[in-house]
PDB file of all heavy atoms in Angstrom:
ATOM      1  N   MET I  30     -58.415 190.444 -55.488  1.00 91.00           N
ATOM      2  CA  MET I  30     -58.582 189.021 -55.415  1.00 91.00           C
ATOM      3  C   MET I  30     -57.322 188.329 -54.982  1.00 91.00           C
ATOM      4  O   MET I  30     -57.297 187.384 -54.109  1.00 91.00           O
ATOM      5  CB  MET I  30     -58.951 188.440 -56.816  1.00 91.00           C
ATOM      6  CG  MET I  30     -60.435 188.819 -57.185  1.00 91.00           C
ATOM      7  SD  MET I  30     -60.900 188.398 -58.880  1.00 91.00           S
ATOM      8  CE  MET I  30     -60.472 186.712 -58.989  1.00 91.00           C
ATOM      9  N   ILE I  31     -56.123 188.810 -55.437  1.00 87.00           N
ATOM     10  CA  ILE I  31     -54.834 188.307 -55.009  1.00 87.00           C
ATOM     11  C   ILE I  31     -54.680 188.477 -53.511  1.00 87.00           C
ATOM     12  O   ILE I  31     -54.289 187.607 -52.791  1.00 87.00           O
ATOM     13  CB  ILE I  31     -53.708 188.963 -55.816  1.00 87.00           C
ATOM     14  CG1 ILE I  31     -53.737 188.442 -57.266  1.00 87.00           C
ATOM     15  CG2 ILE I  31     -52.351 188.598 -55.199  1.00 87.00           C
ATOM     16  CD1 ILE I  31     -52.826 189.179 -58.214  1.00 87.00           C
ATOM     17  N   LYS I  32     -54.973 189.693 -53.046  1.00 92.00           N
ATOM     18  CA  LYS I  32     -54.868 189.989 -51.611  1.00 92.00           C
ATOM     19  C   LYS I  32     -55.797 189.117 -50.790  1.00 92.00           C
ATOM     20  O   LYS I  32     -55.420 188.651 -49.704  1.00 92.00           O
ATOM     21  CB  LYS I  32     -55.144 191.507 -51.341  1.00 92.00           C
ATOM     22  CG  LYS I  32     -54.063 192.384 -51.844  1.00 92.00           C
ATOM     23  CD  LYS I  32     -54.356 193.828 -51.676  1.00 92.00           C
ATOM     24  CE  LYS I  32     -53.310 194.682 -52.254  1.00 92.00           C
ATOM     25  NZ  LYS I  32     -53.619 196.110 -52.155  1.00 92.00           N
ATOM     26  N   ASN I  33     -57.029 188.840 -51.281  1.00 93.00           N
ATOM     27  CA  ASN I  33     -57.953 187.992 -50.560  1.00 93.00           C
ATOM     28  C   ASN I  33     -57.389 186.557 -50.440  1.00 93.00           C
ATOM     29  O   ASN I  33     -57.480 185.916 -49.417  1.00 93.00           O
ATOM     30  CB  ASN I  33     -59.289 187.968 -51.224  1.00 93.00           C
ATOM     31  CG  ASN I  33     -60.074 189.273 -51.125  1.00 93.00           C
ATOM     32  OD1 ASN I  33     -59.717 190.127 -50.238  1.00 93.00           O
ATOM     33  ND2 ASN I  33     -61.101 189.494 -51.917  1.00 93.00           N
ATOM     34  N   TYR I  34     -56.823 186.062 -51.578  1.00 91.00           N
ATOM     35  CA  TYR I  34     -56.235 184.748 -51.542  1.00 91.00           C
ATOM     36  C   TYR I  34     -55.036 184.667 -50.596  1.00 91.00           C
ATOM     37  O   TYR I  34     -54.851 183.682 -49.892  1.00 91.00           O
ATOM     38  CB  TYR I  34     -55.818 184.282 -52.975  1.00 91.00           C
ATOM     39  CG  TYR I  34     -56.978 183.585 -53.700  1.00 91.00           C
ATOM     40  CD1 TYR I  34     -57.830 184.270 -54.489  1.00 91.00           C
ATOM     41  CD2 TYR I  34     -57.156 182.181 -53.475  1.00 91.00           C
ATOM     42  CE1 TYR I  34     -58.842 183.581 -55.133  1.00 91.00           C
ATOM     43  CE2 TYR I  34     -58.159 181.533 -54.157  1.00 91.00           C
ATOM     44  CZ  TYR I  34     -59.026 182.197 -54.956  1.00 91.00           C
ATOM     45  OH  TYR I  34     -60.040 181.521 -55.588  1.00 91.00           O
ATOM     46  N   LEU I  35     -54.244 185.717 -50.574  1.00 88.00           N
ATOM     47  CA  LEU I  35     -53.097 185.744 -49.631  1.00 88.00           C
ATOM     48  C   LEU I  35     -53.604 185.694 -48.224  1.00 88.00           C
ATOM     49  O   LEU I  35     -53.020 184.937 -47.381  1.00 88.00           O
ATOM     50  CB  LEU I  35     -52.260 186.959 -49.873  1.00 88.00           C
ATOM     51  CG  LEU I  35     -51.392 187.036 -51.139  1.00 88.00           C
ATOM     52  CD1 LEU I  35     -50.779 188.407 -51.318  1.00 88.00           C
ATOM     53  CD2 LEU I  35     -50.313 185.966 -51.036  1.00 88.00           C
ATOM     54  N   ALA I  36     -54.648 186.398 -47.870  1.00 94.00           N
ATOM     55  CA  ALA I  36     -55.184 186.375 -46.561  1.00 94.00           C
ATOM     56  C   ALA I  36     -55.759 184.994 -46.244  1.00 94.00           C
ATOM     57  O   ALA I  36     -55.584 184.480 -45.140  1.00 94.00           O
ATOM     58  CB  ALA I  36     -56.287 187.459 -46.419  1.00 94.00           C
ATOM     59  N   ASP I  37     -56.484 184.367 -47.216  1.00 95.00           N
ATOM     60  CA  ASP I  37     -57.028 183.035 -46.984  1.00 95.00           C
ATOM     61  C   ASP I  37     -55.917 182.038 -46.764  1.00 95.00           C
ATOM     62  O   ASP I  37     -56.018 181.214 -45.862  1.00 95.00           O
ATOM     63  CB  ASP I  37     -57.839 182.589 -48.242  1.00 95.00           C
ATOM     64  CG  ASP I  37     -59.150 183.334 -48.361  1.00 95.00           C
ATOM     65  OD1 ASP I  37     -59.544 184.022 -47.378  1.00 95.00           O
ATOM     66  OD2 ASP I  37     -59.790 183.169 -49.437  1.00 95.00           O
ATOM     67  N   ILE I  38     -54.864 182.099 -47.521  1.00 94.00           N
ATOM     68  CA  ILE I  38     -53.724 181.186 -47.340  1.00 94.00           C
ATOM     69  C   ILE I  38     -53.104 181.386 -45.993  1.00 94.00           C
ATOM     70  O   ILE I  38     -52.790 180.352 -45.307  1.00 94.00           O
ATOM     71  CB  ILE I  38     -52.692 181.413 -48.470  1.00 94.00           C
ATOM     72  CG1 ILE I  38     -53.252 180.898 -49.845  1.00 94.00           C
ATOM     73  CG2 ILE I  38     -51.349 180.714 -48.184  1.00 94.00           C
ATOM     74  CD1 ILE I  38     -52.489 181.327 -51.036  1.00 94.00           C
ATOM     75  N   SER I  39     -52.940 182.595 -45.563  1.00 94.00           N
ATOM     76  CA  SER I  39     -52.364 182.853 -44.222  1.00 94.00           C
ATOM     77  C   SER I  39     -53.239 182.257 -43.135  1.00 94.00           C
ATOM     78  O   SER I  39     -52.748 181.635 -42.201  1.00 94.00           O
ATOM     79  CB  SER I  39     -52.228 184.330 -44.051  1.00 94.00           C
ATOM     80  OG  SER I  39     -51.712 184.623 -42.750  1.00 94.00           O
ATOM     81  N   SER I  40     -54.541 182.429 -43.272  1.00 96.00           N
ATOM     82  CA  SER I  40     -55.481 181.896 -42.308  1.00 96.00           C
ATOM     83  C   SER I  40     -55.472 180.325 -42.244  1.00 96.00           C
ATOM     84  O   SER I  40     -55.440 179.717 -41.204  1.00 96.00           O
ATOM     85  CB  SER I  40     -56.918 182.400 -42.614  1.00 96.00           C
ATOM     86  OG  SER I  40     -57.888 181.785 -41.791  1.00 96.00           O
ATOM     87  N   ILE I  41     -55.425 179.777 -43.422  1.00 97.00           N
ATOM     88  CA  ILE I  41     -55.377 178.324 -43.505  1.00 97.00           C
ATOM     89  C   ILE I  41     -54.083 177.792 -42.914  1.00 97.00           C
ATOM     90  O   ILE I  41     -54.089 176.779 -42.210  1.00 97.00           O
ATOM     91  CB  ILE I  41     -55.538 177.828 -44.966  1.00 97.00           C
ATOM     92  CG1 ILE I  41     -56.990 178.112 -45.480  1.00 97.00           C
ATOM     93  CG2 ILE I  41     -55.265 176.367 -45.133  1.00 97.00           C
ATOM     94  CD1 ILE I  41     -57.166 177.965 -46.983  1.00 97.00           C
ATOM     95  N   ARG I  42     -52.974 178.434 -43.205  1.00 96.00           N
ATOM     96  CA  ARG I  42     -51.673 178.034 -42.586  1.00 96.00           C
ATOM     97  C   ARG I  42     -51.734 178.071 -41.078  1.00 96.00           C
ATOM     98  O   ARG I  42     -51.196 177.170 -40.409  1.00 96.00           O
ATOM     99  CB  ARG I  42     -50.569 178.943 -43.109  1.00 96.00           C
ATOM    100  CG  ARG I  42     -50.105 178.569 -44.479  1.00 96.00           C
ATOM    101  CD  ARG I  42     -48.863 179.354 -44.886  1.00 96.00           C
ATOM    102  NE  ARG I  42     -48.402 178.902 -46.197  1.00 96.00           N
ATOM    103  CZ  ARG I  42     -47.870 179.703 -47.105  1.00 96.00           C
ATOM    104  NH1 ARG I  42     -47.704 180.948 -46.856  1.00 96.00           N
ATOM    105  NH2 ARG I  42     -47.514 179.167 -48.268  1.00 96.00           N
ATOM    106  N   GLU I  43     -52.328 179.093 -40.518  1.00 97.00           N
ATOM    107  CA  GLU I  43     -52.456 179.216 -39.066  1.00 97.00           C
ATOM    108  C   GLU I  43     -53.312 178.051 -38.492  1.00 97.00           C
ATOM    109  O   GLU I  43     -52.924 177.432 -37.468  1.00 97.00           O
ATOM    110  CB  GLU I  43     -53.070 180.549 -38.614  1.00 97.00           C
ATOM    111  CG  GLU I  43     -52.091 181.643 -38.661  1.00 97.00           C
ATOM    112  CD  GLU I  43     -50.952 181.461 -37.709  1.00 97.00           C
ATOM    113  OE1 GLU I  43     -51.118 181.088 -36.539  1.00 97.00           O
ATOM    114  OE2 GLU I  43     -49.782 181.693 -38.115  1.00 97.00           O
ATOM    115  N   LYS I  44     -54.455 177.792 -39.138  1.00 97.00           N
ATOM    116  CA  LYS I  44     -55.305 176.657 -38.695  1.00 97.00           C
ATOM    117  C   LYS I  44     -54.558 175.352 -38.842  1.00 97.00           C
ATOM    118  O   LYS I  44     -54.673 174.484 -37.923  1.00 97.00           O
ATOM    119  CB  LYS I  44     -56.601 176.677 -39.536  1.00 97.00           C
ATOM    120  CG  LYS I  44     -57.540 177.800 -39.232  1.00 97.00           C
ATOM    121  CD  LYS I  44     -58.717 177.775 -40.141  1.00 97.00           C
ATOM    122  CE  LYS I  44     -59.590 178.989 -39.987  1.00 97.00           C
ATOM    123  NZ  LYS I  44     -60.744 178.982 -40.886  1.00 97.00           N
ATOM    124  N   LEU I  45     -53.860 175.163 -39.890  1.00 98.00           N
ATOM    125  CA  LEU I  45     -53.088 173.958 -40.139  1.00 98.00           C
ATOM    126  C   LEU I  45     -52.006 173.753 -39.065  1.00 98.00           C
ATOM    127  O   LEU I  45     -51.834 172.659 -38.513  1.00 98.00           O
ATOM    128  CB  LEU I  45     -52.442 173.977 -41.508  1.00 98.00           C
ATOM    129  CG  LEU I  45     -51.708 172.705 -42.008  1.00 98.00           C
ATOM    130  CD1 LEU I  45     -52.576 171.511 -41.947  1.00 98.00           C
ATOM    131  CD2 LEU I  45     -51.066 172.900 -43.348  1.00 98.00           C
ATOM    132  N   LYS I  46     -51.346 174.845 -38.720  1.00 97.00           N
ATOM    133  CA  LYS I  46     -50.291 174.809 -37.653  1.00 97.00           C
ATOM    134  C   LYS I  46     -50.922 174.330 -36.324  1.00 97.00           C
ATOM    135  O   LYS I  46     -50.379 173.504 -35.611  1.00 97.00           O
ATOM    136  CB  LYS I  46     -49.565 176.088 -37.522  1.00 97.00           C
ATOM    137  CG  LYS I  46     -48.472 176.150 -36.501  1.00 97.00           C
ATOM    138  CD  LYS I  46     -47.908 177.517 -36.327  1.00 97.00           C
ATOM    139  CE  LYS I  46     -46.730 177.582 -35.331  1.00 97.00           C
ATOM    140  NZ  LYS I  46     -46.966 177.028 -34.038  1.00 97.00           N
ATOM    141  N   THR I  47     -52.080 174.923 -35.989  1.00 97.00           N
ATOM    142  CA  THR I  47     -52.779 174.597 -34.761  1.00 97.00           C
ATOM    143  C   THR I  47     -53.122 173.114 -34.742  1.00 97.00           C
ATOM    144  O   THR I  47     -52.898 172.401 -33.746  1.00 97.00           O
ATOM    145  CB  THR I  47     -53.985 175.455 -34.601  1.00 97.00           C
ATOM    146  OG1 THR I  47     -53.654 176.832 -34.563  1.00 97.00           O
ATOM    147  CG2 THR I  47     -54.760 175.089 -33.325  1.00 97.00           C
ATOM    148  N   GLN I  48     -53.668 172.621 -35.854  1.00 97.00           N
ATOM    149  CA  GLN I  48     -54.091 171.206 -35.953  1.00 97.00           C
ATOM    150  C   GLN I  48     -52.873 170.289 -35.829  1.00 97.00           C
ATOM    151  O   GLN I  48     -52.940 169.244 -35.192  1.00 97.00           O
ATOM    152  CB  GLN I  48     -54.849 170.947 -37.247  1.00 97.00           C
ATOM    153  CG  GLN I  48     -56.211 171.656 -37.282  1.00 97.00           C
ATOM    154  CD  GLN I  48     -57.161 171.205 -36.217  1.00 97.00           C
ATOM    155  OE1 GLN I  48     -57.296 170.043 -35.916  1.00 97.00           O
ATOM    156  NE2 GLN I  48     -57.769 172.163 -35.519  1.00 97.00           N
ATOM    157  N   LYS I  49     -51.805 170.670 -36.508  1.00 97.00           N
ATOM    158  CA  LYS I  49     -50.574 169.809 -36.428  1.00 97.00           C
ATOM    159  C   LYS I  49     -50.012 169.784 -35.049  1.00 97.00           C
ATOM    160  O   LYS I  49     -49.567 168.764 -34.600  1.00 97.00           O
ATOM    161  CB  LYS I  49     -49.502 170.366 -37.410  1.00 97.00           C
ATOM    162  CG  LYS I  49     -49.804 169.993 -38.813  1.00 97.00           C
ATOM    163  CD  LYS I  49     -48.660 170.505 -39.754  1.00 97.00           C
ATOM    164  CE  LYS I  49     -48.855 170.034 -41.168  1.00 97.00           C
ATOM    165  NZ  LYS I  49     -47.744 170.485 -42.038  1.00 97.00           N
ATOM    166  N   ASP I  50     -50.066 170.929 -34.345  1.00 95.00           N
ATOM    167  CA  ASP I  50     -49.585 171.002 -32.946  1.00 95.00           C
ATOM    168  C   ASP I  50     -50.409 170.045 -32.028  1.00 95.00           C
ATOM    169  O   ASP I  50     -49.859 169.302 -31.208  1.00 95.00           O
ATOM    170  CB  ASP I  50     -49.586 172.388 -32.417  1.00 95.00           C
ATOM    171  CG  ASP I  50     -48.495 173.279 -33.020  1.00 95.00           C
ATOM    172  OD1 ASP I  50     -47.569 172.762 -33.595  1.00 95.00           O
ATOM    173  OD2 ASP I  50     -48.620 174.515 -32.890  1.00 95.00           O
ATOM    174  N   MET I  51     -51.717 170.081 -32.256  1.00 94.00           N
ATOM    175  CA  MET I  51     -52.599 169.220 -31.469  1.00 94.00           C
ATOM    176  C   MET I  51     -52.277 167.782 -31.789  1.00 94.00           C
ATOM    177  O   MET I  51     -52.298 166.943 -30.853  1.00 94.00           O
ATOM    178  CB  MET I  51     -54.081 169.585 -31.779  1.00 94.00           C
ATOM    179  CG  MET I  51     -54.541 170.870 -31.190  1.00 94.00           C
ATOM    180  SD  MET I  51     -56.175 171.437 -31.770  1.00 94.00           S
ATOM    181  CE  MET I  51     -57.190 169.997 -31.644  1.00 94.00           C
ATOM    182  N   PHE I  52     -52.141 167.441 -32.994  1.00 94.00           N
ATOM    183  CA  PHE I  52     -51.822 166.057 -33.461  1.00 94.00           C
ATOM    184  C   PHE I  52     -50.527 165.578 -32.821  1.00 94.00           C
ATOM    185  O   PHE I  52     -50.424 164.511 -32.241  1.00 94.00           O
ATOM    186  CB  PHE I  52     -51.741 166.020 -35.007  1.00 94.00           C
ATOM    187  CG  PHE I  52     -51.588 164.656 -35.539  1.00 94.00           C
ATOM    188  CD1 PHE I  52     -52.624 163.807 -35.638  1.00 94.00           C
ATOM    189  CD2 PHE I  52     -50.331 164.243 -36.018  1.00 94.00           C
ATOM    190  CE1 PHE I  52     -52.503 162.538 -36.187  1.00 94.00           C
ATOM    191  CE2 PHE I  52     -50.172 162.986 -36.564  1.00 94.00           C
ATOM    192  CZ  PHE I  52     -51.229 162.155 -36.652  1.00 94.00           C
ATOM    193  N   LYS I  53     -49.493 166.458 -32.887  1.00 92.00           N
ATOM    194  CA  LYS I  53     -48.193 166.090 -32.366  1.00 92.00           C
ATOM    195  C   LYS I  53     -48.249 165.913 -30.844  1.00 92.00           C
ATOM    196  O   LYS I  53     -47.649 164.980 -30.291  1.00 92.00           O
ATOM    197  CB  LYS I  53     -47.174 167.189 -32.680  1.00 92.00           C
ATOM    198  CG  LYS I  53     -45.758 166.924 -32.275  1.00 92.00           C
ATOM    199  CD  LYS I  53     -44.834 168.062 -32.674  1.00 92.00           C
ATOM    200  CE  LYS I  53     -43.424 167.838 -32.159  1.00 92.00           C
ATOM    201  NZ  LYS I  53     -42.558 168.933 -32.496  1.00 92.00           N
ATOM    202  N   SER I  54     -48.947 166.748 -30.132  1.00 91.00           N
ATOM    203  CA  SER I  54     -49.046 166.688 -28.649  1.00 91.00           C
ATOM    204  C   SER I  54     -49.719 165.416 -28.194  1.00 91.00           C
ATOM    205  O   SER I  54     -49.452 164.851 -27.099  1.00 91.00           O
ATOM    206  CB  SER I  54     -49.730 167.923 -28.050  1.00 91.00           C
ATOM    207  OG  SER I  54     -51.109 167.936 -28.433  1.00 91.00           O
ATOM    208  N   SER I  55     -50.648 164.866 -29.013  1.00 90.00           N
ATOM    209  CA  SER I  55     -51.307 163.594 -28.637  1.00 90.00           C
ATOM    210  C   SER I  55     -50.303 162.459 -28.613  1.00 90.00           C
ATOM    211  O   SER I  55     -50.498 161.484 -27.842  1.00 90.00           O
ATOM    212  CB  SER I  55     -52.516 163.299 -29.552  1.00 90.00           C
ATOM    213  OG  SER I  55     -52.076 163.128 -30.883  1.00 90.00           O
ATOM    214  N   PHE I  56     -49.308 162.515 -29.436  1.00 90.00           N
ATOM    215  CA  PHE I  56     -48.278 161.413 -29.392  1.00 90.00           C
ATOM    216  C   PHE I  56     -47.291 161.624 -28.229  1.00 90.00           C
ATOM    217  O   PHE I  56     -46.819 160.663 -27.615  1.00 90.00           O
ATOM    218  CB  PHE I  56     -47.484 161.457 -30.726  1.00 90.00           C
ATOM    219  CG  PHE I  56     -48.307 160.949 -31.878  1.00 90.00           C
ATOM    220  CD1 PHE I  56     -48.944 161.816 -32.731  1.00 90.00           C
ATOM    221  CD2 PHE I  56     -48.466 159.564 -32.105  1.00 90.00           C
ATOM    222  CE1 PHE I  56     -49.726 161.389 -33.761  1.00 90.00           C
ATOM    223  CE2 PHE I  56     -49.242 159.070 -33.136  1.00 90.00           C
ATOM    224  CZ  PHE I  56     -49.846 160.024 -34.032  1.00 90.00           C
ATOM    225  N   GLU I  57     -46.966 162.882 -27.957  1.00 86.00           N
ATOM    226  CA  GLU I  57     -46.021 163.181 -26.902  1.00 86.00           C
ATOM    227  C   GLU I  57     -46.531 162.742 -25.554  1.00 86.00           C
ATOM    228  O   GLU I  57     -45.705 162.407 -24.682  1.00 86.00           O
ATOM    229  CB  GLU I  57     -45.662 164.663 -26.905  1.00 86.00           C
ATOM    230  CG  GLU I  57     -44.909 165.094 -28.125  1.00 86.00           C
ATOM    231  CD  GLU I  57     -44.786 166.622 -28.235  1.00 86.00           C
ATOM    232  OE1 GLU I  57     -45.457 167.368 -27.460  1.00 86.00           O
ATOM    233  OE2 GLU I  57     -44.012 167.074 -29.103  1.00 86.00           O
ATOM    234  N   GLY I  58     -47.815 162.704 -25.360  1.00 85.00           N
ATOM    235  CA  GLY I  58     -48.405 162.291 -24.080  1.00 85.00           C
ATOM    236  C   GLY I  58     -48.518 160.799 -23.856  1.00 85.00           C
ATOM    237  O   GLY I  58     -48.844 160.343 -22.751  1.00 85.00           O
ATOM    238  N   ASP I  59     -48.231 160.004 -24.905  1.00 89.00           N
ATOM    239  CA  ASP I  59     -48.399 158.558 -24.827  1.00 89.00           C
ATOM    240  C   ASP I  59     -47.087 157.921 -24.438  1.00 89.00           C
ATOM    241  O   ASP I  59     -46.075 158.049 -25.158  1.00 89.00           O
ATOM    242  CB  ASP I  59     -48.861 158.047 -26.151  1.00 89.00           C
ATOM    243  CG  ASP I  59     -49.233 156.585 -26.114  1.00 89.00           C
ATOM    244  OD1 ASP I  59     -48.300 155.719 -26.293  1.00 89.00           O
ATOM    245  OD2 ASP I  59     -50.458 156.267 -25.923  1.00 89.00           O
ATOM    246  N   LYS I  60     -47.072 157.161 -23.263  1.00 90.00           N
ATOM    247  CA  LYS I  60     -45.864 156.592 -22.724  1.00 90.00           C
ATOM    248  C   LYS I  60     -45.286 155.525 -23.701  1.00 90.00           C
ATOM    249  O   LYS I  60     -44.050 155.509 -23.936  1.00 90.00           O
ATOM    250  CB  LYS I  60     -46.159 155.950 -21.385  1.00 90.00           C
ATOM    251  CG  LYS I  60     -44.962 155.342 -20.743  1.00 90.00           C
ATOM    252  CD  LYS I  60     -45.240 154.695 -19.386  1.00 90.00           C
ATOM    253  CE  LYS I  60     -43.992 154.083 -18.845  1.00 90.00           C
ATOM    254  NZ  LYS I  60     -44.259 153.344 -17.604  1.00 90.00           N
ATOM    255  N   GLN I  61     -46.161 154.652 -24.221  1.00 94.00           N
ATOM    256  CA  GLN I  61     -45.624 153.640 -25.121  1.00 94.00           C
ATOM    257  C   GLN I  61     -45.016 154.237 -26.373  1.00 94.00           C
ATOM    258  O   GLN I  61     -43.957 153.787 -26.793  1.00 94.00           O
ATOM    259  CB  GLN I  61     -46.802 152.660 -25.506  1.00 94.00           C
ATOM    260  CG  GLN I  61     -46.387 151.469 -26.328  1.00 94.00           C
ATOM    261  CD  GLN I  61     -47.532 150.574 -26.737  1.00 94.00           C
ATOM    262  OE1 GLN I  61     -48.678 150.939 -26.454  1.00 94.00           O
ATOM    263  NE2 GLN I  61     -47.246 149.497 -27.308  1.00 94.00           N
ATOM    264  N   PHE I  62     -45.634 155.249 -26.904  1.00 93.00           N
ATOM    265  CA  PHE I  62     -45.079 155.882 -28.132  1.00 93.00           C
ATOM    266  C   PHE I  62     -43.715 156.523 -27.758  1.00 93.00           C
ATOM    267  O   PHE I  62     -42.776 156.455 -28.557  1.00 93.00           O
ATOM    268  CB  PHE I  62     -46.045 156.943 -28.637  1.00 93.00           C
ATOM    269  CG  PHE I  62     -45.487 157.680 -29.856  1.00 93.00           C
ATOM    270  CD1 PHE I  62     -45.603 157.175 -31.108  1.00 93.00           C
ATOM    271  CD2 PHE I  62     -44.854 158.926 -29.688  1.00 93.00           C
ATOM    272  CE1 PHE I  62     -45.091 157.790 -32.197  1.00 93.00           C
ATOM    273  CE2 PHE I  62     -44.326 159.580 -30.758  1.00 93.00           C
ATOM    274  CZ  PHE I  62     -44.416 159.039 -32.036  1.00 93.00           C
ATOM    275  N   SER I  63     -43.660 157.157 -26.603  1.00 90.00           N
ATOM    276  CA  SER I  63     -42.413 157.777 -26.200  1.00 90.00           C
ATOM    277  C   SER I  63     -41.251 156.799 -26.089  1.00 90.00           C
ATOM    278  O   SER I  63     -40.109 157.084 -26.456  1.00 90.00           O
ATOM    279  CB  SER I  63     -42.562 158.508 -24.853  1.00 90.00           C
ATOM    280  OG  SER I  63     -43.508 159.563 -24.922  1.00 90.00           O
ATOM    281  N   GLU I  64     -41.532 155.628 -25.500  1.00 92.00           N
ATOM    282  CA  GLU I  64     -40.507 154.637 -25.429  1.00 92.00           C
ATOM    283  C   GLU I  64     -40.050 154.122 -26.785  1.00 92.00           C
ATOM    284  O   GLU I  64     -38.817 153.994 -27.017  1.00 92.00           O
ATOM    285  CB  GLU I  64     -40.980 153.387 -24.636  1.00 92.00           C
ATOM    286  CG  GLU I  64     -41.228 153.733 -23.128  1.00 92.00           C
ATOM    287  CD  GLU I  64     -41.970 152.586 -22.402  1.00 92.00           C
ATOM    288  OE1 GLU I  64     -42.397 151.602 -23.016  1.00 92.00           O
ATOM    289  OE2 GLU I  64     -42.188 152.735 -21.211  1.00 92.00           O
ATOM    290  N   VAL I  65     -40.937 153.898 -27.703  1.00 94.00           N
ATOM    291  CA  VAL I  65     -40.601 153.472 -29.009  1.00 94.00           C
ATOM    292  C   VAL I  65     -39.848 154.565 -29.756  1.00 94.00           C
ATOM    293  O   VAL I  65     -38.929 154.302 -30.487  1.00 94.00           O
ATOM    294  CB  VAL I  65     -41.894 153.053 -29.802  1.00 94.00           C
ATOM    295  CG1 VAL I  65     -41.600 152.793 -31.272  1.00 94.00           C
ATOM    296  CG2 VAL I  65     -42.511 151.841 -29.169  1.00 94.00           C
ATOM    297  N   ASP I  66     -40.241 155.821 -29.524  1.00 93.00           N
ATOM    298  CA  ASP I  66     -39.571 156.983 -30.136  1.00 93.00           C
ATOM    299  C   ASP I  66     -38.136 157.044 -29.692  1.00 93.00           C
ATOM    300  O   ASP I  66     -37.224 157.293 -30.505  1.00 93.00           O
ATOM    301  CB  ASP I  66     -40.358 158.223 -29.838  1.00 93.00           C
ATOM    302  CG  ASP I  66     -39.844 159.436 -30.617  1.00 93.00           C
ATOM    303  OD1 ASP I  66     -39.639 159.281 -31.865  1.00 93.00           O
ATOM    304  OD2 ASP I  66     -39.703 160.523 -30.070  1.00 93.00           O
TER     305      ASP I  66
END
């Protein structure tokens, strides 16, 4: 059960990283946001 949870946590972390990267890239492509940044 511990090993299963460790695998689940690893999988969720990977999915979270992917989603965060997609979220971050949507801001990087916006000219107005870039100027304010």
Side-chain angles (χ1 to χ4, degrees):
M30 288 173 51
I31 290 170
K32 289 176 184 178
N33 289 344
Y34 270 94
L35 286 171
D37 289 348
I38 290 168
S39 178
S40 173
I41 292 168
R42 281 187 175 145
E43 281 298 316
K44 291 176 185 176
L45 183 59
K46 183 183 181 310
T47 301
Q48 294 298 314
K49 282 183 176 182
D50 288 344
M51 288 171 44
F52 185 77
K53 184 179 176 183
S54 68
S55 63
F56 289 97
E57 292 170 349
D59 187 275
K60 183 180 177 186
Q61 185 179 8
F62 179 83
S63 295
E64 291 171 357
V65 172
D66 191 44

